Amino acid sequence: MVPQSAKSISAKQLDAWIAFLRAHRRVLEHLEAELRGEHGLSLSEYEVLLHLSRAPRNRLRMGELAANVLVTPSGLTRLADRMADAGLIARRPCPEDRRVSYLVLTAAGRKRFEAAAPTHVRGVQEHFAGYLGGDTAAVLAALSRIAGP
Amino acid sequence: MVPQSAKSISAKQLDAWIAFLRAHRRVLEHLEAELRGEHGLSLSEYEVLLHLSRAPRNRLRMGELAANVLVTPSGLTRLADRMADAGLIARRPCPEDRRVSYLVLTAAGRKRFEAAAPTHVRGVQEHFAGYLGGDTAAVLAALSRIAGP
DNA sequence: AATCAAACGTTGTACAATCAACTATATTCC
DNA sequence: GGAATATAGTTGATTGTACAACGTTTGATT
């Protein structure tokens, strides 16, 4: 076993990197296609519904969502517009701070989310988690270090 | 330890999934920013140069590249246009099959790639591989199963 | 109290990526 | 040998994203 310098990269590490990129693309393709095909939702839209459904009173500020949804604030503005047009969410001004607007889950949005959630969870299991097997703990540990706090 | 059904998903698996998404985003942000800032290249452009530099005679068909670069054929057409305009690659018709066009690395493209490669490799080490530690083999194994053949 | 700076969200613009449809060439099969 | 089919790549239209600049509101400083 050759000690691994901190600066160079081993073949195994490089393979892991390439597998990481491929795995990401593959899984997201599947999940996007399933969600889109069966429920007419993009992954971003699903995530917005997910976070809102878990939030107290089913409402969140734009900024709170932007931090979690992996979308920039400006992207979220347009995403929220589309979802509001579709009736999945509604915009509510915040009385305490008139700069902020809340996004709240509508009844239709909740219904759509509840219909889509099993599809998504099954997809994550089928295309990602199911392959982890005995390596689950190690993968979780490594990815958590990479993902940061 | 509770046996894991094939259909449901455990908390640990779900955490791994979330960490996976965050890790991907975080690493790619870093790599994109470094490559863009120090060498004016996007990650996709870098990958095109990488594959060409490794190919025999430094040339590949569009289709061969599209399979490896994680871009659709139409996306690659535009990417190749931009890179040809920038002088990094050149398009060459194939005499044997006039449907195909080859992309070949130019001298400028090679030079740019050679300048950028250390940055990228260091970035992969610093933002991804360096965190794997003793879990490298397990992560590689799991990701390879997910990524498929 | 007035001002200056910071934070929240939205908009204009540009860009990159996709899908579907299309052109052109090659191959297959009666 | 000629029609049907498949393949390589491009193009048009749409979508989604980011970046930078902006208006508005809030909070801090003095």
Side-chain angles (χ1 to χ4, degrees), chain A residues 44 72 74 78 82 97-99:
Chain A
S44 294
T72 59
S74 89
R78 268 108 175 184
R82 293 191 295 271
D97 185 336
R98 303 200 322 210
R99 292 170 303 182

Side-chain angles (χ1 to χ4, degrees), chain A residues 69-92:
Chain A
V69 163
L70 309 194
V71 156
T72 59
S74 89
L76 183 57
T77 294
R78 268 108 175 184
L79 178 58
D81 287 344
R82 293 191 295 271
M83 293 181 72
D85 286 349
L88 300 173
I89 63 175
R91 307 185 92 113
R92 294 263 317 263

Side-chain angles (χ1 to χ4, degrees), chain B residues 61-63 74 77-78 91 99-101:
Chain B
R61 308 153 73 128
M62 299 281 289
S74 90
T77 293
R78 270 111 175 179
R91 307 185 92 113
R99 291 170 303 182
V100 331
S101 58

Side-chain angles (χ1 to χ4, degrees), chain B residues 77-89:
Chain B
T77 293
R78 270 111 175 179
L79 179 57
D81 286 345
R82 294 191 295 272
M83 294 180 71
D85 286 348
L88 299 174
I89 61 174

Side-chain angles (χ1 to χ4, degrees), chain A residues 19-95:
Chain A
F20 180 70
L21 291 179
R22 295 199 181 201
H24 182 268
R25 182 166 99 129
R26 181 161 209 203
V27 176
L28 261 68
E29 263 176 10
H30 279 128
L31 295 180
E32 276 271 1
E34 289 171 358
L35 222 42
R36 165 81 53 202
E38 299 176 25
H39 303 283
L41 288 174
S42 75
L43 205 50
S44 294
E45 289 169 335
Y46 175 83
E47 284 197 302
V48 168
L49 297 179
L50 170 66
H51 286 289
L52 288 177
S53 75
R54 290 187 169 169
R57 300 206 44 194
N58 290 337
R59 75 191 196 338
L60 285 172
R61 309 154 73 132
M62 298 283 286
E64 293 173 313
L65 259 170
N68 292 321
V69 163
L70 309 194
V71 156
T72 59
S74 89
L76 183 57
T77 294
R78 268 108 175 184
L79 178 58
D81 287 344
R82 293 191 295 271
M83 293 181 72
D85 286 349
L88 300 173
I89 63 175
R91 307 185 92 113
R92 294 263 317 263
C94 170

